[in-house]
Amino acid sequence: MEAMLMLVGIMVLATMVFVVVAPFFLILSNRRLTQRIAKLETLLNAAGLLPDAAAERRVTAERPPERPVAPKEGAAGEPAEAQSTAREPQRQGLPAKDAPPKHYVFTADNWARLVAWLSRHWVSVIAALSLSFAGVFFVRYGIEHGLVPPALRIICGLVLGAALTVAGERLRRVGGSGLGTAGYLLPGTLCAGGVVSVYSAVLGARILYDLIGTEVAFMGLTATAALSVLLGLRHGVFLTVMGILCAMVAPFVIGGEAESITGLFYYFALIAGVAFATDSFQRTAWVSAVGLVASYGSATLVYLASPGSESHFLAFAALIGAATLTLPTRSLRPALQGGMVFRRIHRRGPAEAPDFPARLAMAGVAGLIGVAVIVSLNSALGFWLALGALAFLLVVLALWLETDVLDDAAPLVLLGILSIIGAHGFWNLEVARSFVTAEVGFEGSPPNTMLWLTAFGAALSLVAARKSETARNFSREWAIAAAAFAPATIFVLALWWQPLAQLSDTTWALHAAAIALVMTALAQRAFKRDPLQRFRASVFSLAALNMIAFAVSIVLTETALTLAFAAIMFSASWLDRRFDVPLLSRFAQVGVVVCSYRLLVDPGLPWALGADWPALILAFGGVITFLFAARQCATERSRTGAITTLESAAWSLPAILICLLIFRALDDSGDTVSHWALSLYAMIWLISGAVQAYRAKIDDALKAVRRVLAALFSGTGAVLLLLSLTIGSPLLAGQIAGPPLLDSLLVAYGLPALLILGVLRLVTALPRAASQGGFALAMTSAIGWIGLEVRRLWQGPDLTIPRVIDGELYTYTLALLIAGAALLLRSIQTASRPLRRVAMVVLGLTIAKVFLVDISGLEGLIRVVSFLVLGLTLAGLAWLDTMIGRRGTP
C-alpha cells in the first residue's frame, strides 16, 4: 500500500511538471516555427522566386519598417568573434547594461542592477526555488513518513531531478534561452531544480542512509557538478546562481539524523568549485562571489553544529583557497593580472585595479588564514594542522605562483602564524599548557615543542629568503620578512610560552643561537650573490646580531650582558666600516639606546648604587670604550646620524659615572633625599636631556621624539634641582660634608651650574626659551652655591643655626659685588645683552641689601669706609656700563 502511494506521488509530480512545461513548450515551438516561416518568405522574396515578388516588394516598401528578428546564429559574413561578443549577454542571461564590471562586484551600481533585474524576473526566481526544493521536500516527505524504503526514496529524487533537467534542456533546444526569446529563463529554471534534486538525492544517500560509500558519493557529486558546469555554460548565470544557492541550502532543508555531518564540508567545497569553474568560462564574477560567500556561510553553520570538526573545517578552507587560486584562471600556476589587492594601504606595485581572479584568490587566502586561527584555538591537533596549512600557503605564495600580485598576502600569513603561536601561550591553551606542565625528571626529558617551533620559524624564514632572491619587484620586502620572522617566533615564545619552565638557560639560549647561525648563513649567501646590492645582507646581519644579543641576555650576568650589548653595537659599526652596509649603522644607534637603557634604567641606577666598585667601573668603562671605538668606525664611513648618537653617549656616560661615584663617596648615612643627592639625580636627568637635545639635530623620523624627550628629561632635572634649593636646602636640615669650597655644596649647586652653562655652550640649536630658562636656572644654582658657601665659611657645617653675624653679612655684600662685576666684564667679552642685564640685576640686589640690611649694623668709621668703597665700586661699574652702552653692545 505504501509503495502504491509513493508511485502515485511520483505520477502526480510528473503530471504537474508536464502541465507546467507543456504550454510553454507549445507556445515556444509555435513561435519558433512562425519565425522560420517568416525568414523563409523573406529569402524567397529577395530571390524573386515568389509569383508576384515585385508586387510584394512594392507593398513591403510602402509599409512602415518592422524591427527585424535577429537570426540566432548571427548575420551572414559576420566574423565569428563578433558573433560571440554579440551573444555574450544572451549567454549570460542578463542584458548588456547589467553585465558586471571587470574588477569589482559588490558596488552600489551592481546592487542597483541586481535589484532591478530581480524586480523584473522575481517570478522566475521563485519558480526556480520551488522546483529546486520540490525534490528536496519529496525526499524529506519520505523520511518523515517512512512510506518507502530509503533506496526507493533516493531513486525517486534522482528521477525527479533527471526529469526536470531533461525538460529544461529540451525547452532550450526548442525555444532558445537568449534574451530575444520569450520565457528565456524557463529552461534554466527547470535545469536548476533538476540539478539541486540530484545533489540532494546523492547527499541523502551518503549522509542520511549510508547507502553508498564515500567514493561512490564523491563520484556522483563530481558527475553532477560536471553536469552543472555544462548546463551553466548553456543556460547562463541564472541557472548557475540558483543551482549554487539551492545546493548550499539543500542539506539544511533535508534535515534528518546522521552520525556525522563532516562530509558536508567537502560537499560545500565541491559546490564552490563548481561556481568557480563555471565562472571561469562565463566571466561574470557574480557566480564566484556567490559561491565563495555561500560556501563559507554554510560551512560555518556546520562547524558550529558539529563539535570536533576542526580538521574538516580547515580542510574545507584549504580546498576553497586552492580552488580560488587555480579554477578562475584554469591553471595550476596562475599568472594573475593587475595591481595588488591591498595597494591602497601600502602603495606598492603597479597603480592598477586587480583583476577579479586576484581579488577572489585574496579572499580565499584570507578565509584560510581566519579559519586556521579559529581552528588552532580548540585543540593540539588543530594547532599543528593550522600551522602546517599556513606554512604550505606561504610556500605556494612564495615559490609556486608566477606572479607578485598576491605578495601582499604573505604578511597576513606570517602574522596569522605568529598570532596562533602567541595565542596558545598567552591564554595557556593545550599545547602551551602541556609544555609547561610536562613531567621532567630523571626518567623524563623536556618536550621538544620549543625545538619544533624554532625549526618551524627558521624554515619559513628560509622560504622567504629564497623568494627574496627571485622576486622581481619586492625583493627587499621578502628579505625583511625572512630576517624578521624567525626572530619574531623566538621573541613570541620567550614572551608568552615560559620556555625556562622546562629548559635550562643554556638550552634556551642555544635555540636563539641557532637562529643567529641561520641568519649568518643567509647574510653570507646574500653578500656573495649581490655584492653591490647589500640590503639583503644587511637585514640578515641585523637579525643575526639581534639573536646573538638575545642569546647572551639569557645566560650572562648584569655586567656581562651590558658589555655584550656594547660589543654587538661595536660589531655592527665595524661591519659597516668593513663592508659598507649603511643599515648596520642604524643598528649601532639602536645599540647605543639599549646600552644607555641598561646603565640608567634596567638594571640602571639602583644597580649602579649598590654594585661592587669593580663591576660598576667595568660596566661603564667598557661601554664607553666600545662607544669611542664605534664612533671611529662611523667616522670613517661618514655616518652622520651614528656619529652624533655615539659621541653624545660617549661624552655623557663619563659625566654620569662621575655623578655616581660622587654619590657613593658621599653616601655614608644613606640619606638619599639630601641636598647633594637631589642635585646628583638632577644632573643625571639634565645630562640625559642634553643628550637628546644634541641628537635632535639628526634629521630623521625620530627628531620630534628626541625633542619631546629632551624637554621631559631636562624639565625633570630642573624640578629636582629646584627642590634641592628649597625643601632639600641645608638651611632646613642636614650638614655640609667635606672641606670648605670642596664640599657637598659644590656638588649640589656649583657643578649643576657649570653643567648647564657647558650644555648651553655646546648645544647651540636650542630654542630661545630653552636657552633663557637654562641660563636662569644656572644663575640661580650659582647664586645659591655662593650664598651657602659664604654661610658655611662663617657658621661651619651646620647651616640650620638661626643667626647671622656681621662678617657673614658683609661677605654677602662683597660676594655680590664681585659676582656683579664678573658678570659685567663677561658681558663685555661675549657682547651678551642678557648677561649684562643679569649683572645689573645682581648689582641692584647688592645695593638694596646694603641700604636695607647692612646699614642698620654699621657704625662709626666702618660705616664710612663701607659706603666709600661701595660708592667708588658702583661709580666705576656705572662708568663701565655707560661705555658699553655707547659702543652699542648687542
Side-chain angles (χ1 to χ4, degrees), residues 633-654:
C633 295
T635 303
E636 295 184 17
R637 285 293 181 184
S638 300
R639 309 297 190 204
T640 306
I643 292 172
T644 301
T645 304
L646 289 166
E647 68 183 9
S648 61
W651 290 111
S652 62
L653 288 180

Side-chain angles (χ1 to χ4, degrees), residues 432-780:
R433 185 170 58 253
S434 62
F435 169 76
V436 175
T437 59
E439 294 291 338
V440 178
F442 292 104
E443 298 180 357
S445 59
N448 294 324
T449 308
M450 292 296 105
L451 177 62
W452 290 118
L453 291 176
T454 301
F456 178 77
L460 293 190
S461 284
L462 291 175
V463 171
R466 176 59 181 168
K467 176 65 175 180
S468 69
E469 296 176 356
T470 59
R472 292 170 301 202
N473 298 321
F474 305 104
S475 175
R476 291 193 170 192
E477 287 76 6
W478 278 103
I480 293 174
F485 182 75
T489 304
I490 291 291
F491 290 143
V492 169
L493 292 174
L495 185 61
W496 288 313
W497 277 66
Q498 306 177 34
L500 297 180
Q502 300 289 2
L503 305 177
S504 64
D505 293 349
T506 304
T507 303
W508 177 230
L510 287 176
H511 286 71
I515 298 298
L517 184 62
V518 172
M519 293 300 159
T520 303
L522 290 176
Q524 184 180 15
R525 176 181 173 85
F527 185 79
K528 290 181 179 180
R529 290 178 61 90
D530 304 312
L532 298 179
Q533 301 294 331
R534 297 174 179 171
F535 178 84
R536 295 174 59 249
S538 302
V539 295
F540 294 139
S541 300
L542 290 178
L545 291 173
N546 276 291
M547 285 293 94
I548 293 173
F550 181 79
V552 299
S553 69
I554 299 172
V555 298
L556 296 182
T557 61
E558 299 292 354
T559 303
L561 179 58
T562 303
L563 293 177
F565 284 143
I568 293 171
M569 176 267 301
F570 166 72
S571 300
S573 297
W574 182 84
L575 289 173
D576 179 29
R577 183 186 69 83
R578 175 69 175 80
F579 299 107
D580 189 18
V581 183
L583 193 60
L584 290 176
S585 66
R586 301 287 184 88
F587 180 83
Q589 293 177 252
V590 176
V592 172
V593 176
V594 173
C595 292
S596 301
Y597 179 85
R598 293 280 307 167
L599 292 175
L600 301 179
V601 181
D602 183 18
L605 297 180
W607 170 85
L609 295 176
D612 297 335
W613 285 91
L616 176 63
I617 299 298
L618 179 61
F620 273 84
V623 172
I624 292 169
T625 302
F626 280 121
L627 286 172
F628 277 107
R631 180 187 179 278
Q632 182 62 33
C633 295
T635 303
E636 295 184 17
R637 285 293 181 184
S638 300
R639 309 297 190 204
T640 306
I643 292 172
T644 301
T645 304
L646 289 166
E647 68 183 9
S648 61
W651 290 111
S652 62
L653 288 180
I656 294 176
L657 177 61
I658 292 173
C659 293
L660 292 173
L661 294 176
I662 294 174
F663 192 104
R664 296 189 60 165
L666 293 175
D667 189 23
D668 294 332
S669 61
D671 185 9
T672 57
V673 293
S674 61
H675 58 286
W676 54 266
L678 288 173
S679 294
L680 286 174
Y681 289 138
M683 281 194 288
I684 293 175
W685 282 103
L686 290 172
I687 292 171
S688 302
V691 168
Q692 296 299 325
Y694 185 74
R695 294 175 183 173
K697 67 180 183 180
I698 304 175
D699 192 10
D700 59 7
L702 298 177
K703 186 173 184 177
V705 177
R706 295 189 184 98
R707 287 180 174 177
V708 173
L709 292 177
L712 292 176
F713 294 166
S714 301
T716 303
V719 170
L720 290 175
L721 185 57
L722 292 176
L723 290 176
S724 176
L725 285 167
T726 54
I727 63 175
S729 174
L731 295 174
L732 301 178
Q735 291 190 351
I736 309 303
L741 300 181
L742 296 177
D743 49 16
S744 59
L745 292 175
L746 175 64
V747 174
Y749 309 117
L751 292 183
L754 293 176
L755 172 65
I756 296 172
L757 293 176
V759 170
L760 294 178
R761 184 177 180 83
L762 178 63
V763 185
T764 57
L766 291 175
R768 183 176 181 182
S771 299
Q772 292 178 350
F775 184 77
L777 182 64
M779 290 297 101
T780 302

Side-chain angles (χ1 to χ4, degrees), residues 192-227:
V195 169
V196 173
S197 297
V198 175
Y199 272 131
S200 302
V202 176
L203 199 63
R206 175 69 189 100
I207 295 180
L208 296 179
Y209 306 123
D210 198 19
L211 297 176
I212 57 177
T214 304
E215 296 80 4
V216 177
F218 179 75
M219 293 175 59
L221 292 174
T222 303
T224 308
L227 177 64

Side-chain angles (χ1 to χ4, degrees), residues 6 75 184 333 348 351 397 474 548 621 643 756 781:
M6 193 65 182
Y184 67 95
R333 301 187 70 180
R348 304 302 301 273
L397 294 176
F474 305 104
I548 293 173
I643 292 172
I756 296 172
S781 182

